[in-house]
Amino acid sequence: MTAFPSPGVCAVVPSTVSPALDDALAAQTTPVADRSVAAGSWHDAVAAAPAAEWLWLLDGGVVPAHDALERLLDSPGAGDGSLPAPALLASKVVRPAGDLDRDRAPWPPLLDRTLVIAAARQRLVSLRLARWGSLLVRRDAAQEFGPPRADYSSGAADLEWTARILRDRPGYLVPDSVVVRTAPEAGLTPDEVRDRIRMVRGDRWVAREPVWFAFLLAVDLARAGRQRPAGLPRLLAGVARSRPRRVSTEGGQGRDRLSSMAPHESGDSGRRARDAPL
Amino acid sequence: MPAPASVIAVVVTYNRRDLLRECLSALSAQTRPPDRVFVVDNASTDGSRSVVAEEFPEVSVLALPENVGGAGGFHEGLKAAHAEGANWFWLMDDDTIPAPTALERLLDAPEALDGMTRPQLLASRTVWRDGRLHPMNEPSFKREPEHYIDSCERGLLPLRMATFVSLLVHRSAVDEFGLPLKYYFIWSDDIEYTARILRDRDVGFFVPDSVVEHKTKAAHTAVTETGGRFYFHVRNSLYMMRGSAWNMREKLSLVWALFFTTQIYLRHNRFGRESARIVVRGLRDGVKPVRS
């Protein structure tokens, strides 16, 4: 990990930084003050992040446009008072051809139309769940909710983490902020299926959202089954493995500045880190 | 530069003279007024027609011989306006009070879309007296991610359905999809019509900057307060399930909504004979062949 003194934005990458990402970070029109790199785990990378007002979580497989960070920070959602201050801002993730990366597409809220409309008036997309790619997270939110859970697969840890953060706090996608994802599409994995079923439980939801979330999993499974019928039994095995388990998220670089500010969580309830049983 | 759009406002009224007066005044105060205004009078008996004749002589009245409900009123009004040859039809009830820039903002939307698509339906943001989004007119949005983001980027939202409380309908939609179904009489006629147009095409947008006030007495009509009119809810829900406006997945939601509202209605009425009769009649008529 390389440390810089500035308190502004810290880039958080859960893998080795590719030369393309390194170049893109260096070329940002708004300088990135610091980096936290922890190979293999979002949990460790976020937990190890040094003090900064914003954490910029970048998937190792993305390359941000030179103004991606500037657009996020300059967006009306970033705190100019025109909208409720966000806990999280996301970039639009596109494939190299310029089309939207559907694996990283945002999930707008099901229920809160008032915020959806207010965000659209500012040319933003209100978020209920966000995917890895380019997420700018306020440090206070990361402190309040803790780092992403280590016992979730990478394909579901983003949904789980953002479901907790965005339950009561707003988040917006900023369409003008673009990152290109060059990594091949992973598709739905058995571990993601398992973890998304686990997510249906717990208090990270409001009202009918668990039904909605489960329904969308069923839709994704049906789509995956249509695309690759032979792979469906493997995915359905994830359903069988979806019993709750308790895994400590401590360890590795987890003992650090950020995680020391918020108790670790485990189990499947626990919207905020402080609510979770140890 | 394209020729300015011609707009005919269609206002359906029934025995709400004072609200109609307020609605027509708001129309004449628009920063971009409609080129013509049609009032469809559903055989009002409170002097609404004379109010229009005396105070708004420029407004055309389509006097219907009997009350054919909101559905019949919009059907007849849209048919008459379409025959006049305008590009856009601005539909609303008599208790809709548009803000001065409501129409101007709606007409700005095609430019904001900048060639992304040619819109056929544009809906205003409908608020209640206190400024909250009106629960009766909450739009439903399409959720296909690419289209959703593209719309938000332009300050709009992609519609899946909307209500006839400040809805701008393009002439081409009427050419292609016809008129609202008058046999719905009241309730869900607007939902069916807009859902039918938008089912397979991304041509409807919600315009947050266009604001109208829907001056209902209460912000929300509870199922428990609908009385005998609950019949139309049951019957028209079944009509929609039989129709082509919704896909199979959406129809499952309609089934759930009908089940949910019916049990509230019956429980509120203590499963009384009259309420049961209304539900049964709605179910029975909903599966019968339609009398169009």
Side-chain angles (χ1 to χ4, degrees):
Chain A
M1 187 171 63
T2 315
F4 297 89
S6 171
V9 176
C10 172
V12 177
V13 185
S15 58
T16 52
V17 176
S18 68
L21 177 55
D22 195 36
D23 289 348
L25 286 173
Q28 287 300 304
T29 50
T30 297
V32 177
D34 208 342
R35 295 184 191 181
S36 171
V37 179
S41 162
W42 281 106
H43 170 268
D44 290 346
V46 172
E53 187 185 352
W54 293 95
L55 303 180
W56 192 19
L57 278 63
L58 286 162
D59 195 326
V62 302
V63 177
H66 68 284
D67 59 351
L69 178 59
E70 183 184 2
R71 299 283 184 178
L72 288 173
L73 289 169
D74 284 354
S75 72
D80 68 355
S82 57
L83 282 169
L88 177 157
L89 293 164
S91 303
K92 182 163 81 171
V93 184
V94 300
R95 304 295 305 173
D99 51 320
L100 186 74
D101 187 330
R102 299 188 70 93
D103 277 357
R104 295 291 185 266
W107 301 39
L110 180 69
L111 302 169
D112 190 351
R113 285 192 180 84
T114 301
L115 187 59
V116 163
I117 292 167
R121 291 185 78 185
Q122 302 293 336
R123 289 167 162 63
L124 302 176
V125 179
S126 176
L127 292 172
R128 177 62 187 93
L129 302 169
R131 307 299 315 243
W132 300 132
S134 161
L135 301 179
L136 192 65
V137 182
R138 268 193 201 281
R139 187 177 175 80
D140 63 355
Q143 285 172 340
E144 184 179 0
F145 295 94
R149 287 176 56 158
D151 59 328
Y152 269 64
S153 61
S154 174
D158 49 358
L159 295 173
E160 197 285 330
W161 195 49
T162 56
R164 277 187 283 133
I165 293 176
L166 299 175
R167 182 189 192 273
D168 300 317
R169 295 183 62 176
Y172 312 110
L173 180 134
V174 183
D176 286 346
S177 170
V178 178
V179 300
V180 179
R181 182 163 167 256
T182 53
E185 288 185 33
L188 204 55
T189 65
D191 284 350
E192 183 179 338
V193 173
R194 175 201 67 200
D195 292 335
R196 280 173 64 174
I197 292 172
R198 289 168 62 196
M199 275 183 68
V200 172
R201 297 181 287 262
D203 62 354
R204 54 181 75 78
W205 306 112
V206 291
R208 307 190 299 270
E209 285 182 342
V211 180
W212 165 69
F213 187 72
F215 176 73
L216 290 178
L217 175 59
V219 171
D220 285 350
L221 279 169
R223 186 180 299 132
R226 273 201 305 275
Q227 286 168 352
R228 288 187 54 203
L232 193 58
R234 241 184 92 242
L235 289 179
L236 292 176
V239 178
R241 296 207 304 269
S242 62
R243 288 178 55 211
R245 59 188 174 141
R246 291 169 59 121
V247 178
S248 167
T249 55
E250 291 191 55
Q253 294 178 57
R255 297 174 192 283
D256 52 40
R257 279 169 280 183
L258 176 65
S259 57
S260 66
M261 296 175 202
H264 291 101
E265 65 162 332
S266 62
D268 263 305
S269 62
R271 164 158 63 89
R272 288 184 169 80
R274 64 169 180 269
D275 298 333
L278 289 170
Chain B
M1 181 181 283
S6 54
V7 181
I8 297 180
V10 177
V11 182
V12 175
T13 189
Y14 179 63
N15 282 347
R16 286 194 291 211
R17 188 184 52 201
D18 294 338
L19 280 169
L20 177 63
R21 182 185 284 123
E22 202 175 339
C23 172
L24 294 177
S25 300
L27 288 179
S28 61
Q30 290 293 299
T31 51
R32 193 297 187 196
D35 301 285
R36 290 189 66 183
V37 179
F38 283 9
V39 168
V40 183
D41 179 27
N42 251 329
S44 296
T45 54
D46 66 345
S48 294
R49 217 175 297 174
S50 55
V51 164
V52 177
E54 288 162 19
E55 298 176 31
F56 304 92
E58 73 285 3
V59 170
S60 308
V61 178
L62 184 62
L64 300 179
E66 60 174 341
N67 181 7
V68 291
F74 284 112
H75 177 101
E76 296 299 339
L78 196 50
K79 187 159 78 175
H82 185 261
E84 292 290 313
N87 292 338
W88 291 99
F89 313 108
W90 191 18
L91 310 184
M92 67 192 74
D93 283 318
D94 51 8
D95 57 354
T96 304
I97 316 300
T101 57
L103 180 58
E104 185 183 350
R105 296 283 180 261
L106 287 175
L107 290 170
D108 284 346
E111 196 177 327
L113 287 164
D114 192 23
M116 183 176 122
T117 185
R118 289 181 64 183
Q120 290 187 322
L121 298 180
L122 296 165
S124 299
R125 176 160 55 100
T126 305
V127 298
W128 196 55
R129 294 164 192 261
D130 61 359
R132 278 183 298 157
L133 207 58
H134 201 303
M136 286 182 200
N137 309 105
E138 282 194 3
S140 169
F141 302 125
K142 291 196 170 189
R143 301 177 74 85
E144 194 280 316
E146 195 139 21
H147 182 51
Y148 194 98
I149 294 173
D150 285 348
S151 303
C152 289
E153 214 168 344
R154 291 159 171 81
L156 308 171
L157 281 155
L159 277 178
R160 177 65 187 95
M161 69 85 180
T163 62
F164 289 159
V165 177
S166 186
L167 179 73
L168 200 60
V169 180
H170 194 263
R171 172 174 199 82
S172 58
V174 183
D175 293 338
E176 209 171 328
F177 292 92
L179 301 165
L181 301 173
K182 63 197 300 185
Y183 57 81
Y184 272 55
F185 194 70
I186 54 165
W187 294 353
S188 303
D189 49 314
D190 42 9
I191 293 173
E192 191 282 335
Y193 187 60
T194 53
R196 187 165 17 122
I197 293 170
L198 299 172
R199 175 176 167 158
D200 298 318
R201 292 164 340 132
D202 299 328
V203 292
F205 296 90
F206 178 80
V207 185
D209 288 339
S210 170
V211 182
V212 300
E213 182 183 342
H214 190 191
K215 269 196 156 170
T216 52
K217 282 182 188 141
H220 178 68
T221 302
V223 167
T224 51
E225 292 164 18
T226 54
R229 289 179 300 165
F230 192 75
Y231 161 81
F232 294 105
H233 170 68
V234 175
R235 190 197 64 174
N236 294 351
S237 294
L238 289 181
Y239 281 167
M240 284 200 289
M241 286 172 212
R242 292 166 53 194
S244 59
W246 303 99
N247 65 34
M248 195 49 75
R249 217 165 71 189
E250 292 166 332
K251 284 181 182 179
L252 289 175
S253 305
L254 292 180
V255 172
W256 166 248
L258 179 60
F259 170 78
F260 187 71
T261 48
T262 302
Q263 60 95 14
I264 292 174
Y265 180 76
L266 290 174
R267 273 172 44 192
H268 174 78
N269 289 292
R270 298 170 188 276
F271 295 92
R273 185 178 292 179
E274 180 56 23
S275 59
R277 204 172 62 81
I278 285 165
V279 171
V280 169
R281 201 157 59 87
L283 290 171
R284 186 196 62 199
D285 290 354
V287 297
K288 275 184 179 174
V290 173
R291 290 184 295 114
S292 53

